């Protein structure tokens, strides 16, 4: 698998705050949702792959158990929503609300 965010993976990612990282993940999720709404499944899936790749970059250095548990649950629910049977009953609105919080927090420098 080719890493699409190689520049970020080399270290720039680590300089971002957690909220900035999650806001970037949310941007890719938002793109995936937008492409899905336009019935462009290929583009939607590509955005999901990028979102999962970024989420993995958030997960890898995480040592705090509670945060790691949430991030892994988010990853599982994203995969379920976009690739699976949506067993967690997540929705487009839910994903937008979840990631919008990080976007807001990163803009306020939390």
């Amino acid at each position: 698998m080719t890493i699409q965010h190689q520049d970020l993976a080399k270290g720039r990612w680590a300089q971002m705050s957690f909220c900035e990282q999650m806001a970037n993940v949310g941007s890719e999720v938002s793109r995936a949702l937008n492409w899905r709404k336009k019935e462009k499944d290929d583009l939607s899936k590509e955005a999901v792959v990028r979102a999962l790749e970024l989420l993995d970059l958030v997960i890898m250095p995480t040592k705090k158990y509670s945060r790691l548990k949430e991030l892994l649950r988010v990853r599982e629910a994203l995969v379920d929503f976009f690739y699976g049977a949506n067993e967690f009953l997540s929705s487009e609105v839910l994903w937008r609300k979840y990631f919008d919080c990080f976007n807001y927090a990163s803009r306020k420098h939390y």
Side-chain angles (χ1 to χ4, degrees), residues 29-65:
V29 171
S30 180
R31 283 187 192 95
L33 293 169
N34 291 340
W35 286 123
R36 188 181 211 194
K37 190 181 282 185
K38 294 178 182 176
E39 298 180 2
K40 303 278 188 181
D41 288 340
D42 293 348
L43 295 173
S44 177
K45 299 292 183 198
E46 288 175 15
V48 173
V49 168
R50 291 191 302 269
L52 293 174
E53 182 182 296
L54 290 176
L55 190 56
D56 288 343
L57 290 175
V58 178
I59 290 170
M60 281 190 289
T62 302
K63 294 180 179 155
K64 188 175 178 183
Y65 177 74

Side-chain angles (χ1 to χ4, degrees), residues 2-50:
T2 305
I3 297 175
Q4 297 186 26
H5 296 97
Q6 291 185 7
D7 189 36
L8 289 175
K10 288 180 182 173
R12 204 177 91 199
W13 186 255
Q15 296 172 351
M16 293 181 186
S17 70
F18 175 73
C19 288
E20 289 173 321
Q21 291 175 345
M22 289 301 287
N24 278 289
V25 173
S27 294
E28 291 297 345
V29 171
S30 180
R31 283 187 192 95
L33 293 169
N34 291 340
W35 286 123
R36 188 181 211 194
K37 190 181 282 185
K38 294 178 182 176
E39 298 180 2
K40 303 278 188 181
D41 288 340
D42 293 348
L43 295 173
S44 177
K45 299 292 183 198
E46 288 175 15
V48 173
V49 168
R50 291 191 302 269

